[in-house]
PDB file of all heavy atoms in Angstrom:
ATOM      1  N   LEU A  21      96.695  98.865 122.284  1.00  0.00           N
ATOM      2  CA  LEU A  21      97.864  99.626 122.721  1.00  0.00           C
ATOM      3  C   LEU A  21      98.668  98.841 123.753  1.00  0.00           C
ATOM      4  O   LEU A  21      99.912  98.807 123.699  1.00  0.00           O
ATOM      5  CB  LEU A  21      97.431 100.971 123.305  1.00  0.00           C
ATOM      6  CG  LEU A  21      96.831 101.983 122.326  1.00  0.00           C
ATOM      7  CD1 LEU A  21      96.374 103.239 123.072  1.00  0.00           C
ATOM      8  CD2 LEU A  21      97.821 102.350 121.226  1.00  0.00           C
ATOM      9  N   ALA A  22      97.978  98.192 124.674  1.00  0.00           N
ATOM     10  CA  ALA A  22      98.668  97.407 125.694  1.00  0.00           C
ATOM     11  C   ALA A  22      99.404  96.225 125.069  1.00  0.00           C
ATOM     12  O   ALA A  22     100.541  95.907 125.453  1.00  0.00           O
ATOM     13  CB  ALA A  22      97.673  96.921 126.741  1.00  0.00           C
ATOM     14  N   ALA A  23      98.782  95.571 124.098  1.00  0.00           N
ATOM     15  CA  ALA A  23      99.392  94.393 123.481  1.00  0.00           C
ATOM     16  C   ALA A  23     100.599  94.755 122.624  1.00  0.00           C
ATOM     17  O   ALA A  23     101.586  94.016 122.571  1.00  0.00           O
ATOM     18  CB  ALA A  23      98.357  93.660 122.632  1.00  0.00           C
ATOM     19  N   THR A  24     100.532  95.899 121.934  1.00  0.00           N
ATOM     20  CA  THR A  24     101.588  96.269 121.003  1.00  0.00           C
ATOM     21  C   THR A  24     102.647  97.179 121.610  1.00  0.00           C
ATOM     22  O   THR A  24     103.702  97.394 121.010  1.00  0.00           O
ATOM     23  CB  THR A  24     100.993  96.977 119.766  1.00  0.00           C
ATOM     24  OG1 THR A  24     100.260  98.143 120.196  1.00  0.00           O
ATOM     25  CG2 THR A  24     100.071  96.037 119.007  1.00  0.00           C
ATOM     26  N   GLY A  25     102.374  97.727 122.791  1.00  0.00           N
ATOM     27  CA  GLY A  25     103.334  98.611 123.440  1.00  0.00           C
ATOM     28  C   GLY A  25     103.480  99.953 122.755  1.00  0.00           C
ATOM     29  O   GLY A  25     104.518 100.611 122.882  1.00  0.00           O
ATOM     30  N   THR A  26     102.444 100.378 122.047  1.00  0.00           N
ATOM     31  CA  THR A  26     102.486 101.660 121.342  1.00  0.00           C
ATOM     32  C   THR A  26     101.622 102.687 122.063  1.00  0.00           C
ATOM     33  O   THR A  26     100.812 102.339 122.930  1.00  0.00           O
ATOM     34  CB  THR A  26     101.998 101.496 119.898  1.00  0.00           C
ATOM     35  OG1 THR A  26     100.719 100.859 119.898  1.00  0.00           O
ATOM     36  CG2 THR A  26     102.972 100.639 119.095  1.00  0.00           C
ATOM     37  N   SER A  27     101.785 103.938 121.687  1.00  0.00           N
ATOM     38  CA  SER A  27     101.027 105.000 122.355  1.00  0.00           C
ATOM     39  C   SER A  27      99.832 105.467 121.536  1.00  0.00           C
ATOM     40  O   SER A  27      98.929 106.111 122.076  1.00  0.00           O
ATOM     41  CB  SER A  27     101.934 106.198 122.643  1.00  0.00           C
ATOM     42  OG  SER A  27     102.470 106.734 121.439  1.00  0.00           O
ATOM     43  N   LYS A  28      99.825 105.160 120.226  1.00  0.00           N
ATOM     44  CA  LYS A  28      98.720 105.578 119.366  1.00  0.00           C
ATOM     45  C   LYS A  28      98.416 104.507 118.325  1.00  0.00           C
ATOM     46  O   LYS A  28      99.280 103.696 117.978  1.00  0.00           O
ATOM     47  CB  LYS A  28      99.033 106.897 118.654  1.00  0.00           C
ATOM     48  CG  LYS A  28      99.019 108.116 119.561  1.00  0.00           C
ATOM     49  CD  LYS A  28      99.086 109.403 118.745  1.00  0.00           C
ATOM     50  CE  LYS A  28      98.958 110.625 119.651  1.00  0.00           C
ATOM     51  NZ  LYS A  28      98.921 111.892 118.885  1.00  0.00           N
ATOM     52  N   VAL A  29      97.176 104.523 117.860  1.00  0.00           N
ATOM     53  CA  VAL A  29      96.757 103.656 116.765  1.00  0.00           C
ATOM     54  C   VAL A  29      96.310 104.530 115.591  1.00  0.00           C
ATOM     55  O   VAL A  29      96.114 105.734 115.733  1.00  0.00           O
ATOM     56  CB  VAL A  29      95.589 102.727 117.167  1.00  0.00           C
ATOM     57  CG1 VAL A  29      95.947 101.875 118.364  1.00  0.00           C
ATOM     58  CG2 VAL A  29      94.311 103.542 117.436  1.00  0.00           C
ATOM     59  N   ASP A  30      96.159 103.907 114.439  1.00  0.00           N
ATOM     60  CA  ASP A  30      95.421 104.487 113.330  1.00  0.00           C
ATOM     61  C   ASP A  30      94.126 103.700 113.194  1.00  0.00           C
ATOM     62  O   ASP A  30      94.111 102.475 113.393  1.00  0.00           O
ATOM     63  CB  ASP A  30      96.216 104.402 112.025  1.00  0.00           C
ATOM     64  CG  ASP A  30      97.423 105.321 112.022  1.00  0.00           C
ATOM     65  OD1 ASP A  30      97.314 106.448 112.551  1.00  0.00           O
ATOM     66  OD2 ASP A  30      98.480 104.916 111.500  1.00  0.00           O
ATOM     67  N   ILE A  31      93.042 104.371 112.858  1.00  0.00           N
ATOM     68  CA  ILE A  31      91.736 103.726 112.717  1.00  0.00           C
ATOM     69  C   ILE A  31      91.279 103.839 111.273  1.00  0.00           C
ATOM     70  O   ILE A  31      91.350 104.912 110.669  1.00  0.00           O
ATOM     71  CB  ILE A  31      90.692 104.367 113.657  1.00  0.00           C
ATOM     72  CG1 ILE A  31      91.058 104.112 115.117  1.00  0.00           C
ATOM     73  CG2 ILE A  31      89.294 103.831 113.351  1.00  0.00           C
ATOM     74  CD1 ILE A  31      90.109 104.783 116.118  1.00  0.00           C
ATOM     75  N   VAL A  32      90.824 102.719 110.723  1.00  0.00           N
ATOM     76  CA  VAL A  32      90.198 102.699 109.407  1.00  0.00           C
ATOM     77  C   VAL A  32      88.803 102.111 109.585  1.00  0.00           C
ATOM     78  O   VAL A  32      88.650 101.007 110.117  1.00  0.00           O
ATOM     79  CB  VAL A  32      90.990 101.854 108.388  1.00  0.00           C
ATOM     80  CG1 VAL A  32      90.291 101.847 107.034  1.00  0.00           C
ATOM     81  CG2 VAL A  32      92.421 102.380 108.259  1.00  0.00           C
ATOM     82  N   GLY A  33      87.781 102.848 109.162  1.00  0.00           N
ATOM     83  CA  GLY A  33      86.411 102.380 109.340  1.00  0.00           C
ATOM     84  C   GLY A  33      85.612 102.473 108.064  1.00  0.00           C
ATOM     85  O   GLY A  33      85.853 103.340 107.212  1.00  0.00           O
ATOM     86  N   HIS A  34      84.652 101.574 107.936  1.00  0.00           N
ATOM     87  CA  HIS A  34      83.760 101.546 106.775  1.00  0.00           C
ATOM     88  C   HIS A  34      82.359 101.943 107.211  1.00  0.00           C
ATOM     89  O   HIS A  34      81.837 101.419 108.189  1.00  0.00           O
ATOM     90  CB  HIS A  34      83.740 100.135 106.174  1.00  0.00           C
ATOM     91  CG  HIS A  34      82.851  99.979 104.979  1.00  0.00           C
ATOM     92  ND1 HIS A  34      82.145  98.829 104.720  1.00  0.00           N
ATOM     93  CD2 HIS A  34      82.532 100.839 103.973  1.00  0.00           C
ATOM     94  CE1 HIS A  34      81.449  98.968 103.605  1.00  0.00           C
ATOM     95  NE2 HIS A  34      81.660 100.187 103.137  1.00  0.00           N
ATOM     96  N   SER A  35      81.743 102.884 106.501  1.00  0.00           N
ATOM     97  CA  SER A  35      80.363 103.286 106.750  1.00  0.00           C
ATOM     98  C   SER A  35      80.223 103.810 108.181  1.00  0.00           C
ATOM     99  O   SER A  35      80.939 104.728 108.569  1.00  0.00           O
ATOM    100  CB  SER A  35      79.420 102.111 106.447  1.00  0.00           C
ATOM    101  OG  SER A  35      78.081 102.522 106.382  1.00  0.00           O
ATOM    102  N   GLN A  36      79.332 103.233 109.003  1.00  0.00           N
ATOM    103  CA  GLN A  36      79.233 103.669 110.395  1.00  0.00           C
ATOM    104  C   GLN A  36      80.588 103.601 111.079  1.00  0.00           C
ATOM    105  O   GLN A  36      80.906 104.436 111.935  1.00  0.00           O
ATOM    106  CB  GLN A  36      78.227 102.800 111.172  1.00  0.00           C
ATOM    107  CG  GLN A  36      78.082 103.222 112.625  1.00  0.00           C
ATOM    108  CD  GLN A  36      77.285 102.250 113.500  1.00  0.00           C
ATOM    109  OE1 GLN A  36      77.362 102.299 114.724  1.00  0.00           O
ATOM    110  NE2 GLN A  36      76.519 101.366 112.890  1.00  0.00           N
ATOM    111  N   GLY A  37      81.405 102.623 110.698  1.00  0.00           N
ATOM    112  CA  GLY A  37      82.722 102.464 111.302  1.00  0.00           C
ATOM    113  C   GLY A  37      83.687 103.589 111.002  1.00  0.00           C
ATOM    114  O   GLY A  37      84.708 103.727 111.677  1.00  0.00           O
ATOM    115  N   GLY A  38      83.389 104.404 109.996  1.00  0.00           N
ATOM    116  CA  GLY A  38      84.200 105.575 109.733  1.00  0.00           C
ATOM    117  C   GLY A  38      83.696 106.819 110.424  1.00  0.00           C
ATOM    118  O   GLY A  38      84.418 107.810 110.559  1.00  0.00           O
ATOM    119  N   MET A  39      82.450 106.777 110.871  1.00  0.00           N
ATOM    120  CA  MET A  39      81.842 107.906 111.570  1.00  0.00           C
ATOM    121  C   MET A  39      81.869 107.714 113.076  1.00  0.00           C
ATOM    122  O   MET A  39      82.202 108.629 113.837  1.00  0.00           O
ATOM    123  CB  MET A  39      80.401 108.104 111.080  1.00  0.00           C
ATOM    124  CG  MET A  39      79.593 109.139 111.835  1.00  0.00           C
ATOM    125  SD  MET A  39      78.714 108.471 113.288  1.00  0.00           S
ATOM    126  CE  MET A  39      77.461 107.472 112.514  1.00  0.00           C
ATOM    127  N   MET A  40      81.511 106.533 113.561  1.00  0.00           N
ATOM    128  CA  MET A  40      81.416 106.284 114.999  1.00  0.00           C
ATOM    129  C   MET A  40      82.692 106.654 115.767  1.00  0.00           C
ATOM    130  O   MET A  40      82.619 107.225 116.871  1.00  0.00           O
ATOM    131  CB  MET A  40      81.045 104.824 115.246  1.00  0.00           C
ATOM    132  CG  MET A  40      81.012 104.406 116.707  1.00  0.00           C
ATOM    133  SD  MET A  40      82.588 103.765 117.313  1.00  0.00           S
ATOM    134  CE  MET A  40      82.537 102.091 116.687  1.00  0.00           C
ATOM    135  N   PRO A  41      83.897 106.363 115.229  1.00  0.00           N
ATOM    136  CA  PRO A  41      85.101 106.734 115.986  1.00  0.00           C
ATOM    137  C   PRO A  41      85.213 108.222 116.276  1.00  0.00           C
ATOM    138  O   PRO A  41      85.913 108.617 117.217  1.00  0.00           O
ATOM    139  CB  PRO A  41      86.238 106.263 115.067  1.00  0.00           C
ATOM    140  CG  PRO A  41      85.657 105.132 114.285  1.00  0.00           C
ATOM    141  CD  PRO A  41      84.235 105.552 114.034  1.00  0.00           C
ATOM    142  N   ARG A  42      84.530 109.059 115.508  1.00  0.00           N
ATOM    143  CA  ARG A  42      84.585 110.498 115.780  1.00  0.00           C
ATOM    144  C   ARG A  42      83.981 110.825 117.138  1.00  0.00           C
ATOM    145  O   ARG A  42      84.413 111.790 117.797  1.00  0.00           O
ATOM    146  CB  ARG A  42      83.883 111.274 114.673  1.00  0.00           C
ATOM    147  CG  ARG A  42      84.612 111.211 113.322  1.00  0.00           C
ATOM    148  CD  ARG A  42      83.862 111.963 112.245  1.00  0.00           C
ATOM    149  NE  ARG A  42      83.517 113.306 112.681  1.00  0.00           N
ATOM    150  CZ  ARG A  42      82.316 113.872 112.486  1.00  0.00           C
ATOM    151  NH1 ARG A  42      81.343 113.205 111.860  1.00  0.00           N
ATOM    152  NH2 ARG A  42      82.077 115.085 112.920  1.00  0.00           N
ATOM    153  N   HIS A  43      83.003 110.045 117.579  1.00  0.00           N
ATOM    154  CA  HIS A  43      82.456 110.241 118.930  1.00  0.00           C
ATOM    155  C   HIS A  43      83.524 109.894 119.968  1.00  0.00           C
ATOM    156  O   HIS A  43      83.684 110.610 120.970  1.00  0.00           O
ATOM    157  CB  HIS A  43      81.212 109.374 119.122  1.00  0.00           C
ATOM    158  CG  HIS A  43      80.554 109.559 120.457  1.00  0.00           C
ATOM    159  ND1 HIS A  43      79.555 110.478 120.676  1.00  0.00           N
ATOM    160  CD2 HIS A  43      80.757 108.944 121.658  1.00  0.00           C
ATOM    161  CE1 HIS A  43      79.167 110.429 121.945  1.00  0.00           C
ATOM    162  NE2 HIS A  43      79.889 109.506 122.566  1.00  0.00           N
ATOM    163  N   TYR A  44      84.247 108.825 119.730  1.00  0.00           N
ATOM    164  CA  TYR A  44      85.344 108.421 120.615  1.00  0.00           C
ATOM    165  C   TYR A  44      86.406 109.513 120.671  1.00  0.00           C
ATOM    166  O   TYR A  44      86.898 109.866 121.754  1.00  0.00           O
ATOM    167  CB  TYR A  44      85.927 107.104 120.097  1.00  0.00           C
ATOM    168  CG  TYR A  44      87.243 106.693 120.682  1.00  0.00           C
ATOM    169  CD1 TYR A  44      87.420 106.525 122.055  1.00  0.00           C
ATOM    170  CD2 TYR A  44      88.343 106.435 119.847  1.00  0.00           C
ATOM    171  CE1 TYR A  44      88.649 106.127 122.585  1.00  0.00           C
ATOM    172  CE2 TYR A  44      89.555 106.026 120.358  1.00  0.00           C
ATOM    173  CZ  TYR A  44      89.707 105.881 121.731  1.00  0.00           C
ATOM    174  OH  TYR A  44      90.920 105.477 122.242  1.00  0.00           O
ATOM    175  N   LEU A  45      86.754 110.081 119.521  1.00  0.00           N
ATOM    176  CA  LEU A  45      87.776 111.115 119.481  1.00  0.00           C
ATOM    177  C   LEU A  45      87.314 112.386 120.185  1.00  0.00           C
ATOM    178  O   LEU A  45      88.093 113.037 120.901  1.00  0.00           O
ATOM    179  CB  LEU A  45      88.122 111.455 118.025  1.00  0.00           C
ATOM    180  CG  LEU A  45      88.697 110.335 117.163  1.00  0.00           C
ATOM    181  CD1 LEU A  45      88.916 110.822 115.740  1.00  0.00           C
ATOM    182  CD2 LEU A  45      89.984 109.800 117.748  1.00  0.00           C
ATOM    183  N   LYS A  46      86.057 112.739 120.007  1.00  0.00           N
ATOM    184  CA  LYS A  46      85.563 114.045 120.458  1.00  0.00           C
ATOM    185  C   LYS A  46      85.120 114.055 121.913  1.00  0.00           C
ATOM    186  O   LYS A  46      85.319 115.060 122.620  1.00  0.00           O
ATOM    187  CB  LYS A  46      84.392 114.475 119.567  1.00  0.00           C
ATOM    188  CG  LYS A  46      83.982 115.930 119.697  1.00  0.00           C
ATOM    189  CD  LYS A  46      83.017 116.317 118.587  1.00  0.00           C
ATOM    190  CE  LYS A  46      82.726 117.805 118.570  1.00  0.00           C
ATOM    191  NZ  LYS A  46      81.831 118.192 117.449  1.00  0.00           N
ATOM    192  N   PHE A  47      84.554 112.948 122.380  1.00  0.00           N
ATOM    193  CA  PHE A  47      83.927 112.952 123.696  1.00  0.00           C
ATOM    194  C   PHE A  47      84.536 111.977 124.701  1.00  0.00           C
ATOM    195  O   PHE A  47      84.242 112.080 125.890  1.00  0.00           O
ATOM    196  CB  PHE A  47      82.429 112.649 123.562  1.00  0.00           C
ATOM    197  CG  PHE A  47      81.676 113.632 122.719  1.00  0.00           C
ATOM    198  CD1 PHE A  47      81.146 113.254 121.501  1.00  0.00           C
ATOM    199  CD2 PHE A  47      81.506 114.948 123.142  1.00  0.00           C
ATOM    200  CE1 PHE A  47      80.451 114.160 120.711  1.00  0.00           C
ATOM    201  CE2 PHE A  47      80.810 115.862 122.358  1.00  0.00           C
ATOM    202  CZ  PHE A  47      80.283 115.474 121.140  1.00  0.00           C
ATOM    203  N   LEU A  48      85.368 111.037 124.245  1.00  0.00           N
ATOM    204  CA  LEU A  48      85.853 109.978 125.137  1.00  0.00           C
ATOM    205  C   LEU A  48      87.370 109.953 125.266  1.00  0.00           C
ATOM    206  O   LEU A  48      87.934 108.953 125.698  1.00  0.00           O
ATOM    207  CB  LEU A  48      85.348 108.610 124.644  1.00  0.00           C
ATOM    208  CG  LEU A  48      83.826 108.467 124.526  1.00  0.00           C
ATOM    209  CD1 LEU A  48      83.464 107.100 123.954  1.00  0.00           C
ATOM    210  CD2 LEU A  48      83.153 108.667 125.884  1.00  0.00           C
ATOM    211  N   GLY A  49      88.018 111.039 124.889  1.00  0.00           N
ATOM    212  CA  GLY A  49      89.463 111.118 125.047  1.00  0.00           C
ATOM    213  C   GLY A  49      90.267 110.380 124.005  1.00  0.00           C
ATOM    214  O   GLY A  49      91.484 110.224 124.155  1.00  0.00           O
ATOM    215  N   GLY A  50      89.629 109.955 122.947  1.00  0.00           N
ATOM    216  CA  GLY A  50      90.331 109.157 121.948  1.00  0.00           C
ATOM    217  C   GLY A  50      91.380 109.913 121.167  1.00  0.00           C
ATOM    218  O   GLY A  50      92.310 109.305 120.625  1.00  0.00           O
ATOM    219  N   ALA A  51      91.270 111.236 121.086  1.00  0.00           N
ATOM    220  CA  ALA A  51      92.226 112.007 120.299  1.00  0.00           C
ATOM    221  C   ALA A  51      93.652 111.834 120.792  1.00  0.00           C
ATOM    222  O   ALA A  51      94.597 111.942 120.008  1.00  0.00           O
ATOM    223  CB  ALA A  51      91.833 113.483 120.306  1.00  0.00           C
ATOM    224  N   ALA A  52      93.824 111.554 122.063  1.00  0.00           N
ATOM    225  CA  ALA A  52      95.161 111.365 122.619  1.00  0.00           C
ATOM    226  C   ALA A  52      95.753 110.004 122.234  1.00  0.00           C
ATOM    227  O   ALA A  52      96.960 109.792 122.393  1.00  0.00           O
ATOM    228  CB  ALA A  52      95.120 111.495 124.138  1.00  0.00           C
ATOM    229  N   LYS A  53      94.914 109.102 121.705  1.00  0.00           N
ATOM    230  CA  LYS A  53      95.373 107.749 121.416  1.00  0.00           C
ATOM    231  C   LYS A  53      95.287 107.396 119.938  1.00  0.00           C
ATOM    232  O   LYS A  53      95.583 106.259 119.559  1.00  0.00           O
ATOM    233  CB  LYS A  53      94.531 106.750 122.223  1.00  0.00           C
ATOM    234  CG  LYS A  53      94.593 106.982 123.725  1.00  0.00           C
ATOM    235  CD  LYS A  53      93.653 106.064 124.483  1.00  0.00           C
ATOM    236  CE  LYS A  53      93.667 106.352 125.978  1.00  0.00           C
ATOM    237  NZ  LYS A  53      92.735 105.467 126.729  1.00  0.00           N
ATOM    238  N   VAL A  54      94.877 108.348 119.109  1.00  0.00           N
ATOM    239  CA  VAL A  54      94.673 108.083 117.681  1.00  0.00           C
ATOM    240  C   VAL A  54      95.449 109.092 116.858  1.00  0.00           C
ATOM    241  O   VAL A  54      95.318 110.307 117.057  1.00  0.00           O
ATOM    242  CB  VAL A  54      93.180 108.133 117.319  1.00  0.00           C
ATOM    243  CG1 VAL A  54      92.983 107.940 115.812  1.00  0.00           C
ATOM    244  CG2 VAL A  54      92.405 107.056 118.090  1.00  0.00           C
ATOM    245  N   ASN A  55      96.240 108.591 115.923  1.00  0.00           N
ATOM    246  CA  ASN A  55      96.993 109.454 115.015  1.00  0.00           C
ATOM    247  C   ASN A  55      96.155 109.865 113.811  1.00  0.00           C
ATOM    248  O   ASN A  55      96.155 111.028 113.412  1.00  0.00           O
ATOM    249  CB  ASN A  55      98.248 108.729 114.543  1.00  0.00           C
ATOM    250  CG  ASN A  55      98.949 109.444 113.407  1.00  0.00           C
ATOM    251  OD1 ASN A  55      99.544 110.498 113.610  1.00  0.00           O
ATOM    252  ND2 ASN A  55      98.885 108.868 112.209  1.00  0.00           N
ATOM    253  N   ALA A  56      95.436 108.886 113.220  1.00  0.00           N
ATOM    254  CA  ALA A  56      94.686 109.162 111.995  1.00  0.00           C
ATOM    255  C   ALA A  56      93.400 108.359 111.980  1.00  0.00           C
ATOM    256  O   ALA A  56      93.342 107.223 112.476  1.00  0.00           O
ATOM    257  CB  ALA A  56      95.526 108.818 110.766  1.00  0.00           C
ATOM    258  N   LEU A  57      92.372 108.959 111.394  1.00  0.00           N
ATOM    259  CA  LEU A  57      91.104 108.285 111.154  1.00  0.00           C
ATOM    260  C   LEU A  57      90.843 108.313 109.647  1.00  0.00           C
ATOM    261  O   LEU A  57      90.780 109.386 109.044  1.00  0.00           O
ATOM    262  CB  LEU A  57      89.955 108.967 111.893  1.00  0.00           C
ATOM    263  CG  LEU A  57      88.536 108.488 111.538  1.00  0.00           C
ATOM    264  CD1 LEU A  57      88.359 107.003 111.869  1.00  0.00           C
ATOM    265  CD2 LEU A  57      87.486 109.330 112.263  1.00  0.00           C
TER     266      LEU A  57
END
C-alpha cells in the first residue's frame, strides 16, 4: 500500500494462501485494507 499509494489491495491465495488471509481479515484489521479475497 505504501509503495503503490493505494488504500486497499486484492488478495489471491492458493491452498493455505487462500485461507490464511481470513485470519488477517478477521483478527488483525485487514478488512479495512482488502477489497477482495
